[in-house]
Amino acid sequence: MSTSSTDPYDLILAGGTLIDGSNEPRRRADVGLRGDRVAATGDLAGQQARRRVDVTGMIVAPGFIDSHTHDDNYLLEHPDMTPKISQGVTTVVTGNCGISLAPLRHDSPPAPLDLLDAGGSYRFGRFNDYLDALRDHPPAVNAACMVGHSTLRAAVMPDLDRTATPAEIDTMQALAEEAMAAGAIGISTGTFYPPAARASTEEIIEVCRPLSSRQGIYATHMRDEGEHIVAALQETFRIGRELDVPVVISHHKVMGQPNFGRSEETLAIIEAAMARQDIALDAYPYVAGSTMLKKDRVLLAGRTIITWCKPRPELAGRDLDEVAAERGMAKYDLVEELQPAGAIYFMMDEPDVRRILAFPPTMIGSDGLPHDQRPHPRLWGTFPRVLGHYARDVGLFSLETAVWKMSGLTAARFGLPDRGLVQPGCFADLVVFDPDTVADVADFDNPTERAAGIHSVYVNGAPVWENQAFTGQLAGRVLPRSPR
């Protein structure tokens, strides 16, 4: 239904301070919505509106775009998406680390593909079938979806512990082309993980060839984020150059005590490469990461918390050191007995985390694992932690920059048109929050606590979060990519 500039606004958010996602200074402004779009910003005191909400003392900002999620299956199983909307997220980027829910039919997918699996979840033989399921049963948030290289391997290769044959590469490439034609915004890899660890650089380049003609994103959980991180960065840059596509370095970090401080080196390398090709990066605001429980001495060197364990579910939330001591075993040797399982690893240094977050081009991605029994608190707390702890309390950057890193910057890097900004004509994805009280409440002991200070959240003009609760509106959409 068309509207004109003389029609009443559907909603006016009145009296707030606007941070519009462009990294420009905040300003006092009302925000008027018509349908799914922002219609006007400024002084709308005399304007007619079907609904007017007083947000005096609050910040009105673009809804946050979570640049790195594993929400592929959660969007279908839990369409309310409470862990995300409760912290102001209105769009999630899925299919990261080489792991996507499609195209794959599999009753028992190999780790870490099982991080998405709620039992029988891998049922989409074509990527378009998965996107159709999201369109037919929309969630509360928007989704921009990538296809995973490890998923393609699992769909095609009977033995993952080797490089693909030319015929297998051709089949994976065809599946990737089908996914891109269906609406995938890019392809991700996770060569850190067993299903793709034996993939050669050449295999990745050839499987990802459809990105070039489709102008898609290449995102990667690199082969190494520790001792050999420089070689992993150079491999990543080479893949982007060979394909002539934008690159996203996922959850950039330097892990393991021997590598603490090396973010100065890696950020300098990334910045130099950015002058030659299209490169982006994201990070999460914690010193601990989380993934499959892996027999990896670097990961296991620090504190390790079990997040889920299929053979011993009662161990979720326990420290691996304590369990190993009870068993009279070294924790490295205990890992085999607990498979399959997940874990939180304290593997980073706070100065590196701050340096990477403060690096101007760094986007924010939660990397949360929503199916974990005891998840990392980043699933519920990433975005308010950046706003409250790092921007307000630590002063790592301004609130305007914090919002930009979680909205306008991310929309631009991923090519999500008319998202990430609060400007006339843009989609009305909005979050209203209290700048004095916004904070992450989830921690490692209580990882599913809702954030403080989030007043309301709107997706495509519809209120999805009000009065600290999901409103019942499922207003999300599958988003296309529009290259810059």
Side-chain angles (χ1 to χ4, degrees):
M1 179 174 141
S2 63
T3 61
S4 75
S5 60
T6 59
D7 290 335
Y9 294 99
D10 293 314
L11 171 68
I12 291 178
L13 298 172
T17 297
L18 177 61
I19 296 180
D20 71 1
S22 67
N23 209 16
E24 293 297 318
R26 70 190 76 184
R27 66 186 189 276
R28 159 71 181 85
D30 305 323
V31 177
L33 277 55
R34 288 195 182 97
D36 61 359
R37 303 271 182 161
V38 175
T41 62
D43 184 358
L44 304 178
Q47 301 297 310
Q48 294 293 313
R50 295 181 176 88
R51 186 186 181 205
R52 186 180 296 267
V53 178
D54 183 2
V55 293
T56 301
M58 302 286 177
I59 299 292
V60 180
F64 305 133
I65 302 171
D66 192 337
S67 67
H68 189 102
T69 84
H70 296 284
D71 292 334
D72 309 49
N73 191 40
Y74 205 76
L75 291 161
L76 297 171
E77 299 291 332
H78 300 274
D80 58 281
M81 293 297 292
T82 298
K84 296 303 171 73
I85 61 173
S86 64
Q87 57 179 310
V89 171
T90 57
T91 296
V92 297
V93 179
T94 69
N96 285 285
C97 296
I99 309 165
S100 60
L101 203 61
L104 177 63
R105 294 182 183 275
H106 207 302
D107 292 332
S108 183
L113 274 67
D114 56 355
L115 296 176
L116 303 184
D117 191 21
S121 303
Y122 281 90
R123 61 187 188 275
F124 301 104
R126 299 185 311 152
F127 202 81
N128 194 53
D129 294 339
Y130 170 66
L131 294 184
D132 280 348
L134 285 178
R135 294 181 181 113
D136 292 343
H137 304 281
V141 300
N142 303 308
C145 306
M146 293 187 289
V147 62
H149 167 245
S150 293
T151 297
L152 295 175
R153 288 189 122 231
V156 170
M157 298 175 61
D159 175 14
L160 299 175
D161 194 28
R162 58 173 174 77
T163 299
T165 66
E168 289 167 340
I169 289 173
D170 287 345
T171 303
M172 286 190 279
Q173 186 185 94
L175 288 173
E177 170 62 28
E178 287 179 9
M180 296 298 297
I185 67 165
I187 301 173
S188 75
T189 58
T191 43
F192 173 78
Y193 292 113
R198 295 299 182 90
S200 66
T201 307
E202 287 70 26
E203 173 192 320
I204 293 168
I205 291 168
E206 292 309 315
V207 170
C208 291
R209 284 289 178 198
L211 292 177
S212 301
S213 59
R214 297 282 181 178
Q215 297 183 282
I217 291 278
Y218 172 69
T220 181
H221 180 158
M222 298 189 304
R223 210 175 285 273
D224 194 285
E225 296 174 315
E227 180 183 358
H228 304 292
I229 190 169
V230 173
L233 284 168
Q234 296 302 338
E235 179 187 41
T236 297
F237 302 155
R238 181 195 161 195
I239 293 168
R241 288 195 306 271
E242 292 275 353
L243 296 171
D244 191 24
V245 296
V247 169
V248 176
I249 301 166
S250 295
H251 44 57
H252 183 51
K253 68 177 79 69
V254 285
M255 69 182 200
Q257 195 279 331
N259 298 296
F260 287 179
R262 289 189 68 192
S263 60
E264 290 190 67
E265 175 189 6
T266 62
L267 291 175
I269 291 170
I270 291 168
E271 187 170 31
M274 284 175 166
R276 300 187 296 270
Q277 63 186 106
D278 193 343
I279 297 168
L281 75 163
D282 61 42
Y284 48 79
Y286 297 87
V287 297
S290 182
T291 185
M292 61 185 284
L293 182 61
K294 193 168 185 275
K295 205 166 184 177
D296 184 301
R297 294 195 184 278
V298 175
L299 290 177
L300 295 170
R303 182 188 178 197
T304 303
I305 302 172
I306 299 166
T307 56
W308 63 278
C309 179
K310 191 168 184 179
R312 298 282 303 280
E314 73 277 7
L315 295 180
R318 296 283 307 278
D319 272 34
L320 186 62
D321 281 313
E322 295 175 359
V323 178
E326 291 171 2
R327 299 287 299 277
M329 299 176 65
K331 63 180 178 181
Y332 186 79
D333 297 325
L334 179 60
V335 168
E336 291 286 354
E337 291 187 15
L338 302 183
Q339 296 297 331
I344 291 168
Y345 304 97
F346 289 78
M347 57 186 178
M348 290 169 276
D349 194 34
E350 178 67 14
D352 284 317
V353 172
R354 293 189 183 190
R355 190 176 295 115
I356 292 167
L357 289 174
F359 185 57
T362 300
M363 305 176 289
I364 306 300
S366 72
D367 197 14
L369 298 172
H371 300 286
D372 281 8
Q373 189 176 343
R374 284 288 298 271
H376 190 302
R378 65 191 181 186
L379 178 68
W380 291 78
T382 288
F383 294 85
R385 182 170 176 80
V386 171
L387 297 171
H389 178 66
Y390 282 110
R392 182 188 62 227
D393 301 340
V394 174
L396 195 60
F397 31 60
S398 69
L399 194 60
E400 287 87 343
T401 295
V403 168
W404 172 70
K405 283 174 169 286
M406 305 190 296
S407 58
L409 173 63
T410 316
R413 301 306 295 186
F414 279 90
L416 306 178
D418 297 331
R419 306 281 173 180
L421 297 170
V422 185
Q423 295 175 357
C426 289
F427 288 101
D429 296 338
L430 305 169
V431 57
V432 181
F433 65 89
D434 185 335
D436 297 325
T437 64
V438 66
D440 58 311
V441 180
D443 59 25
F444 292 99
D445 294 321
N446 301 285
T448 61
E449 296 295 318
R450 296 177 180 182
I454 303 296
H455 175 275
S456 51
V457 180
Y458 301 83
V459 175
N460 296 309
V464 298
W465 184 258
E466 292 182 327
N467 301 315
Q468 287 295 295
F470 172 50
T471 65
Q473 297 213 43
L474 299 170
R477 298 173 184 171
V478 174
L479 300 186
R481 169 172 158 75
S482 178
R484 292 177 293 166

